[in-house]
Amino acid sequence: ILRPKAIAQGEKLMKNDLERIFCKIEKAFSENFEGNRKVEEKFPKICEDLKMKLLDSKTEAKKMKHFFQNASIIGHMMEKNLIEEKFCYIEMGAGRGSLGTTLSLSFPFVKLFLIDNNKPRNAGDKDLKKIGRAPFRAKIDIRDLEIAKLPLPSNKLPVILAKHLCGVGTDYALRSILTSETGIGGVAIATCCHHCVDFNDYVNTNFLSKMGFEKDDLPALGRLGGWATSYSNSNEKVGANEKFEIGSRAKWLIDYGRVLFLKELGYKAELVQFC
């Protein structure tokens, strides 16, 4: 069983019985994931022209990083046949609409809907409007969204997509599936900020209960997920690898409950690491 040696550091993050949480993570992970984690970064050829335009314009490295992440998500969507003219696309927690903009610039037929409770500066809407592909933007909290009330094309099934959808935003997006009168064509969500997941909003508390986690364990589980980021490139020699692995497993457990939620609704679903 994994035991980070600098356990005192974890106690600063949360005053909880970390040893007990580690045991639960180990048990739940081994029962569900051992040898079954996929790591696949993709770059579809359809994104090549856009990449060259960005490089020619000397786009800064940070923006290029986001572009490659978008391209990988799109590559996974293509592999699952989720990019076709019979679909329209709803980007949840869109912010500047980076993922949806990359999708629309790559596929001219895309009908895009952006959902966020505000519209930040430098959003991709302008770029799409210039070429006659202006998206529909709804200023609304995802928790209040009813897909059936969006002006979606009657002949297209909605596909939900998101990148770095923070905390409970993912759970709100998944619940919004139930508000579509026609059902949905698919889901592609890159999750984020697992420390912000809330037990009352999480979509699959039954799964956590079956794995032995209690209501008060979820905040600890989410915050331990931060170790997957904090120690991914750590120079710390003692315990860093163990902490990274525990953090990764905590994140995957939270997301696996979401996968099971989709399966219970009748969809095929899986977890992949896209970048």
Side-chain angles (χ1 to χ4, degrees):
I1 295 177
L2 294 171
R3 296 287 183 272
K5 296 180 180 180
I7 198 169
Q9 183 170 350
E11 289 172 343
K12 292 178 182 179
L13 292 173
M14 67 203 81
K15 293 182 179 180
N16 206 326
D17 184 359
L18 291 181
E19 195 75 12
R20 176 176 57 84
I21 298 294
F22 296 153
C23 288
K24 290 183 179 183
I25 291 174
E26 181 74 12
K27 182 176 183 294
F29 191 87
S30 64
E31 290 178 359
N32 292 280
F33 295 113
E34 207 64 62
N36 194 34
R37 284 191 291 179
K38 295 179 67 175
V39 181
E40 282 188 63
E41 186 170 357
K42 297 183 179 295
F43 188 82
K45 290 183 179 179
I46 192 74
C47 295
E48 185 66 33
D49 288 346
L50 184 54
K51 182 188 79 170
M52 297 310 299
K53 289 178 182 178
L54 291 172
L55 290 174
D56 289 344
S57 63
K58 297 182 180 180
T59 301
E60 61 185 73
K62 185 177 180 180
K63 289 184 178 179
M64 288 303 300
K65 175 184 175 181
H66 287 294
F67 166 72
F68 284 116
Q69 290 176 350
N70 292 338
S72 185
I73 294 172
I74 290 170
H76 281 284
M77 292 175 69
M78 291 174 66
E79 186 178 80
K80 301 300 181 183
N81 299 314
L82 288 179
I83 303 182
E84 299 180 7
E85 292 194 46
K86 64 181 179 181
F87 299 127
C88 59
Y89 298 87
I90 305 174
E91 183 176 359
M92 300 286 192
R96 293 187 175 91
S98 171
L99 176 57
T101 298
T102 303
L103 179 66
S104 190
L105 290 174
S106 301
F107 295 90
F109 60 78
V110 163
K111 301 295 182 184
L112 181 63
F113 297 78
L114 304 176
I115 309 299
D116 206 303
N117 55 13
N118 60 51
K119 179 183 176 182
R121 294 181 179 180
N122 302 318
D125 306 40
K126 286 185 178 179
D127 294 330
L128 294 177
K129 189 175 182 179
K130 289 177 182 177
I131 58 175
R133 300 180 206 164
F136 177 90
R137 181 178 283 271
K139 289 187 179 182
I140 185 173
D141 196 302
I142 303 173
R143 79 173 78 191
D144 301 319
L145 176 67
E146 294 183 41
I147 291 178
K149 293 185 178 180
L150 291 174
L152 304 178
S154 60
N155 62 338
K156 295 180 183 289
L157 274 177
V159 168
I160 293 172
L161 66 153
K163 189 183 79 166
H164 297 164
L165 191 52
C166 185
V168 295
T170 295
D171 301 294
Y172 295 148
L174 294 177
R175 279 208 176 86
S176 74
I177 294 172
L178 303 175
T179 68
S180 173
E181 294 178 351
T182 61
I184 63 166
V187 178
I189 295 178
T191 60
C192 185
C193 300
H194 293 73
H195 63 281
C196 294
V197 174
D198 181 81
F199 187 88
N200 295 322
D201 295 309
Y202 182 64
V203 293
N204 203 343
T205 54
N206 287 338
F207 165 69
L208 292 180
S209 297
K210 288 179 181 178
M211 293 296 102
F213 292 98
E214 302 168 11
K215 180 177 180 179
D216 292 340
D217 291 336
L218 185 55
L221 190 63
R223 295 183 73 180
L224 282 172
W227 284 1
T229 303
S230 301
Y231 295 98
S232 59
N233 294 299
S234 175
N235 292 321
E236 181 182 321
K237 294 181 180 179
V238 180
N241 290 337
E242 291 178 311
K243 291 173 183 175
F244 172 76
E245 183 63 21
I246 287 174
S248 297
R249 293 182 180 191
K251 284 186 173 185
W252 278 71
L253 283 169
I254 291 172
D255 287 338
Y256 188 63
R258 291 161 166 166
V259 164
L260 293 179
F261 172 81
L262 286 169
K263 288 184 175 181
E264 289 168 3
L265 293 181
Y267 297 98
K268 295 179 181 179
E270 64 177 332
L271 282 176
V272 295
Q273 185 170 327
F274 71 99
C275 68

